[in-house]
Amino acid sequence: MKRTLYTEDHEIYRQTVQEFLEREIVPHKDRWDDEGMIDRGVYGSAAQTGLHALAVPEEYGGAGERDFRYRLVVCEEIGRINALSFGLTLSVQDDLVLAYLADLTNNEQRKRWLPGFASGQLLGALAMTEPGAGSDLRGICTSARRDGNSWVINGQKTFISNGISADLIVLAACTDPDAGSRGFSLFVVERDTPGFDRGCRLDKIGLSGQDTAELFFGDARVPAENLLGEEGRGLQYLMSHLPRERLGITAMAIGSARAIFDATLEYCKQRSAFGRPISDFQNTRFELATMATELDLAETYVDASVRAYNEGTLSPVDAAKGKWWITELQRRVIDRCLQLHGGYGFMREYPVGRAFVDSRVQTIYGGTTEIMKDLIGRDLTR
């Protein structure tokens, strides 16, 4: 099925993305996974080439481009080279941290932080999750109290993507425990903040090149001018930015699933068993037909979601539908593709094996499948 989402400009951009990935990412991605960290200099190159921080306004060094179709192109091409650790790091920057900094900062804050983001010199992280608070944001216990010209922060965050490498942490904290949903605020915690410490890099089963860590705040003093947006509106800000975060996860999921399917289709044509290609067996054809149909239908929903986001009409519920359905589809497709590879699929040298472990978390972070279904169900029955 021919997609109509992209224009000629997007396809020209795709060529630029492909050239960059082949030159800067493909030769290093396996080493990054083995070492547990991506070379920091690659983000400057990505920004210079236009893969990163496109939405930063021109006056701060960016392109001022908010068309999400360009992000989708990047996700698709990263999926084709199976560099999901690098893809997640870019997603944290463009779909999470940058969205908050672009929307909530004042002029002084923009001058301080956006040029560094536009150049790839500053990396960010979003710190919401705690040991006792994941999808339930109202369970956040990290506290912030005003003390003169500072906020004093105490608490702990966990499972924070880019937790080791980040220069700026967008942090959610409770500023008034008696104010209910109006008792949370957002802060930007900078790298050398006194009282801010990072734990060890967490040992994940997948996405090995993408650093994830615990963060600790013990009387950490954050300047008052690092309050992001208005005090007491933190929960509202988090909820309003979830559609972009979940669309970013959806984009990475469909890009990876399509790429692994395409590679598996070629494998089935070339791999022989009992004297003929395994693509000649009816069961193989049935599996390929099922996956091809599901992916075509899913891409239709993704395309509609991207158009809605660009128009400012993508709802949290519609973003949640795409997030849970397409990440679960990604999981099913990659699992089936691994099965079709047989024993070779279990080898790290084959893309499907790496994608199998790297993609599993997609149904968890950004809101679990179960939370997405509950959100949708509550909207239907309220």
Side-chain angles (χ1 to χ4, degrees):
M1 181 180 294
K2 183 176 177 59
R3 297 175 76 181
T4 60
L5 180 68
Y6 297 119
T7 68
E8 183 179 356
D9 287 344
H10 296 107
E11 297 305 334
I12 293 172
Y13 176 72
R14 186 185 301 276
Q15 295 175 12
T16 300
V17 173
Q18 290 172 343
E19 292 169 2
F20 173 85
L21 295 176
E22 287 296 326
R23 183 179 68 250
E24 302 285 349
I25 307 302
V26 170
H28 307 292
K29 63 186 182 73
D30 290 340
R31 174 175 60 83
W32 292 339
D33 279 346
D34 290 339
E35 295 177 353
M37 188 69 73
I38 297 171
D39 293 341
R40 192 174 177 97
V42 75
Y43 303 114
S45 300
Q48 186 175 13
T49 308
L51 271 74
H52 167 50
L54 279 177
V56 173
E58 292 183 15
E59 60 264 39
Y60 301 110
E65 181 57 74
R66 285 180 170 260
D67 181 353
F68 194 85
R69 287 177 291 183
Y70 291 101
R71 276 286 299 133
L72 186 58
V73 167
V74 172
C75 291
E76 289 174 349
E77 296 308 318
I78 287 175
R80 291 188 199 285
I81 65 165
N82 205 32
L84 299 189
S85 290
F86 177 70
L88 174 58
T89 303
L90 284 193
S91 182
V92 170
Q93 304 308 304
D94 280 15
D95 299 328
L96 278 76
V97 179
L98 183 54
Y100 286 89
L101 295 183
D103 295 344
L104 302 178
T105 47
N106 56 39
N107 288 334
E108 186 273 333
Q109 291 171 332
R110 292 190 186 98
K111 292 176 183 177
R112 287 170 58 194
W113 298 321
L114 289 185
F117 254 77
S119 67
Q121 300 306 304
L122 288 181
L123 297 180
L126 179 63
M128 295 190 292
T129 303
E130 298 181 1
S135 298
D136 179 13
L137 297 178
R138 289 178 176 83
I140 289 173
C141 293
T142 296
S143 65
R145 61 176 177 83
R146 187 66 182 264
D147 183 24
N149 292 324
S150 301
W151 288 88
V152 179
I153 298 176
N154 285 280
Q156 177 183 353
K157 299 292 181 177
T158 193
F159 306 142
I160 305 305
S161 299
N162 295 5
I164 299 293
S165 57
D167 303 290
L168 305 175
I169 312 289
V170 176
L171 174 81
C174 179
T175 47
D176 186 351
D178 298 322
S181 62
R182 298 281 298 179
F184 300 90
S185 303
L186 300 183
F187 302 88
V188 174
V189 180
E190 297 175 275
R191 172 174 288 278
D192 297 324
T193 297
F196 165 45
D197 294 300
R198 306 167 201 254
C200 297
R201 184 178 63 85
L202 297 176
D203 188 12
K204 308 190 297 290
I205 64 172
L207 296 171
S208 301
Q210 199 281 321
D211 61 288
T212 303
E214 292 181 302
L215 308 179
F216 301 94
F217 305 88
D219 289 335
R221 286 195 167 267
V222 174
E225 57 267 24
N226 282 27
L227 176 69
L228 193 59
E230 298 178 20
E231 180 182 348
R233 297 188 65 191
L235 197 61
Q236 178 182 340
Y237 295 144
L238 292 173
M239 298 302 291
S240 66
H241 284 80
L242 283 175
R244 169 66 186 240
E245 176 183 357
R246 288 167 180 164
L247 181 59
I249 296 171
T250 300
M252 202 70 246
I254 194 67
S256 173
R258 172 61 77 178
I260 295 300
F261 170 78
D262 289 344
T264 301
L265 177 60
E266 291 305 310
Y267 177 85
C268 291
K269 293 176 181 178
Q270 298 168 14
R271 175 69 173 171
S272 293
F274 302 101
R276 53 178 173 155
I278 62 172
S279 58
D280 284 354
F281 293 98
Q282 186 183 62
N283 180 72
T284 302
R285 293 198 300 266
F286 279 6
E287 290 287 353
L288 294 172
T290 298
M291 290 187 285
T293 303
E294 289 178 327
L295 287 168
D296 283 352
L297 293 173
E299 283 174 347
T300 300
Y301 192 89
V302 172
D303 292 356
S305 297
V306 170
R307 290 190 177 98
Y309 177 81
N310 283 347
E311 295 166 359
T313 60
L314 180 65
S315 71
V317 170
D318 287 341
K321 289 177 180 177
K323 195 276 178 186
W324 89 260
W325 176 259
I326 293 170
T327 58
E328 292 288 351
L329 173 63
Q330 176 191 21
R331 183 175 62 81
R332 291 198 309 275
V333 164
I334 293 176
D335 184 72
R336 288 175 183 167
C337 288
L338 190 149
Q339 188 74 17
L340 289 172
H341 277 75
Y344 289 103
F346 210 62
M347 301 296 107
R348 290 185 65 194
E349 64 187 277
Y350 279 76
V352 67
R354 182 66 59 87
F356 181 78
V357 294
D358 283 349
S359 64
R360 184 59 185 86
V361 73
Q362 292 268 87
T363 65
I364 298 173
Y365 62 36
T368 65
T369 292
E370 293 74 18
I371 292 295
M372 297 300 95
K373 289 181 178 180
D374 187 60
L375 187 158
I376 298 162
R378 282 189 280 115
D379 182 73
L380 290 172
T381 58
R382 66 183 176 183

